[in-house]
Amino acid sequence: MAAPAQPHTRETWPIAVCMHGFSPVLRDGTRLHDASPDVWDGIFRRVASVGFDAVEIADSHIRPADLTPARRGELTAVARRHGIDLISAHVQRQSVIEPGKGEQNLAYAHRAIDAAAEMGMKIFSTGLHQPFTEAQRKALWFWTAQGPVDPDDADTRALAVTRLRELGEHAASVGLPMSLEMYEDTYLGTADSAVRLIEEIGLDNVGLNPDIANLIRLHRPIEDWLEMHEKTLPYANYWHVKNYTRDESADGSWQTSVPTSMELGLINYRETVSRAIELGFNGPFLMEQYGGDSLGVCATNRDYLRTLLPESAQN
C-alpha cells in the first residue's frame, strides 16, 4: 500500500487502544452502547489516565452506525474533552457472507462507514469473522474452540470479493482507508488467501490488518509467523498488535497458547515492525490484549512499541 505523504516518527505515530478493558455491559445490565455520556466520560478518562490519545470504537461495545447523529456527536465530544481521537470504527463478527445475514451485514457496514466519516475517524476496519459458536462462548479462551468456517467455494469467495469491493468503494468516496483483519478459517485466514483477497478486490484504499497473533494463538498447527508477515506486510494499512506465548510438541500432537506482552511472546515485533516500516507501512497501530488488566498491558505494550519506531521521518 502507498504510504501517506507525511511519514510518522516515534513521537507522532498514531497508536490507539482497544476497548477490551471495558465491559460491553454495565453492572445494571445497560449496554455500553446505550449508556449515558457520563459513563462514556469515565471510559475515556481512564484511557487518558494511562497515556493513550486514540481509541478504536469496536461495535462489540459501541455501534456508531446505530447511534443517532446527536449521540454520535456526544461520543465524539466526550472523547475530545479528554484529548482522545476516535481513530477507527471496527465492525466485527458481521461478515458480509454470513449465511442468512450477509445482505443485512453489508447494509450495516455501509452505515458504519458513513458514521465513521461523520465522526472524523481515520480508518474503517472490518473482516469476515462471524459470531461466536456456543462452544466458543463457553470456553475460557474463545480461540480454543472451533468457530465458523468460510466455505471452500468459488462462488462464495467471489461474493465476498464483490461485497468487500463495494464497501471499499464507499469508504474511498468518503476519504477512508478500509482494512481487513486476518482471522482463522476465513478467506483472510492464511497469508496467501488474505493477499489474494486484497488483490482480487483491487482497490488502492483497501489493505490488510496483518493481525498474525490471531493465528499463532490457535491450538492447531500454524504457518510460520515470520513468513506470514513477509507476505502480508506489503499490503498492511492498519495493524492490531498483541502477542501470545506458544508451545507445541515436536510430533504435532498438541499446541497451547496464552496471552502475554508484545515483548515476551512468539512474534518478534522488533523484527516485524522494522520490516513493516522498510516496506512502507505508515498506518495506525491498535494495541490489543485479552485477559487481565487489558488497558494496563496495552499501555505497557505501547511504550515498548514506541522504542521500535524511527526517531525521525522515513522518506
Side-chain angles (χ1 to χ4, degrees):
M1 305 302 294
Q6 296 295 322
H8 301 301
T9 68
R10 177 175 296 178
E11 297 304 318
T12 65
W13 211 297
I15 301 177
V17 68
C18 68
M19 302 189 75
H20 295 341
F22 305 99
S23 175
V25 181
L26 307 183
R27 292 177 181 173
D28 65 2
T30 303
R31 296 199 65 82
L32 186 59
H33 174 85
D34 299 314
S36 70
D38 287 343
V39 172
W40 292 347
D41 184 86
I43 298 289
F44 293 123
R45 186 185 306 276
R46 289 172 65 186
V47 167
S49 74
V50 296
F52 278 105
D53 59 8
V55 169
E56 175 188 85
I57 300 298
D59 63 356
S60 55
H61 288 67
I62 299 174
R63 304 182 306 280
D66 292 338
L67 293 173
T68 65
R71 289 274 283 168
R72 288 196 287 267
E74 288 176 335
L75 181 63
T76 303
V78 170
R80 287 177 178 166
R81 188 154 64 238
H82 293 284
I84 303 295
D85 183 21
L86 303 183
I87 203 165
S88 59
H90 182 54
V91 169
Q92 61 184 19
R93 306 196 182 283
Q94 307 269 357
S95 171
V96 294
I97 55 170
E98 180 182 349
K101 292 189 66 177
E103 291 186 2
Q104 176 183 326
N105 291 345
L106 177 64
Y108 169 76
H110 277 297
R111 299 199 312 274
I113 290 170
D114 285 334
E118 177 188 320
M119 298 171 74
M121 296 187 185
K122 308 299 191 299
I123 197 160
F124 172 68
S125 172
T126 190
L128 290 172
H129 36 318
Q130 297 183 33
F132 289 132
T133 63
E134 184 63 25
Q136 288 178 304
R137 286 193 292 270
K138 290 180 177 179
L140 174 62
W141 303 116
F142 62 84
W143 56 85
T144 64
Q146 180 63 53
V149 179
D150 284 351
D152 183 13
D153 173 74
D155 289 341
T156 305
R157 185 182 178 100
L159 180 63
V161 170
T162 297
R163 289 179 172 174
L164 291 172
R165 184 186 297 124
E166 179 182 323
L167 292 177
E169 290 171 343
H170 181 181
S173 75
V174 294
L176 288 175
M178 183 169 103
S179 193
L180 300 179
E181 181 181 7
M182 295 185 67
Y183 199 86
E184 77 267 13
D185 297 327
T186 72
Y187 299 136
L188 294 155
T190 68
D192 288 339
S193 181
V195 166
R196 183 160 65 92
L197 192 71
I198 296 299
E199 292 177 342
E200 288 168 337
I201 293 168
L203 297 175
D204 289 342
N205 70 311
V206 178
L208 280 178
N209 168 2
D211 191 351
I212 304 300
N214 284 343
L215 305 177
I216 68 154
R217 69 190 178 191
L218 299 174
H219 290 197
R220 65 174 84 162
I222 59 171
E223 296 179 80
D224 180 84
W225 63 266
L226 191 58
E227 292 179 4
M228 284 192 281
H229 280 101
E230 188 66 22
K231 291 177 179 179
T232 59
L233 287 176
Y235 299 84
N237 61 357
Y238 185 46
W239 197 353
H240 287 183
V241 290
K242 55 183 176 288
N243 218 343
Y244 296 83
T245 59
R246 179 179 174 87
D247 197 11
E248 56 187 45
S249 65
D251 64 5
S253 60
W254 60 266
Q255 303 84 21
T256 190
S257 65
V258 177
T260 189
S261 70
M262 281 180 68
E263 191 172 7
L264 294 177
L266 178 66
I267 296 171
N268 179 350
Y269 277 101
R270 187 174 299 276
E271 183 167 356
T272 56
V273 169
S274 175
R275 181 59 174 152
I277 294 170
E278 178 184 337
L279 291 168
F281 177 72
N282 201 40
F285 289 95
L286 187 280
M287 317 309 293
E288 281 194 305
Q289 175 71 16
Y290 287 96
D293 177 6
S294 174
L295 184 61
V297 175
C298 285
T300 299
N301 284 344
R302 176 205 60 222
D303 294 344
Y304 164 71
L305 175 60
R306 290 276 183 208
T307 71
L308 309 182
L309 299 173
E311 294 187 58
S312 58
Q314 304 291 297
N315 295 308

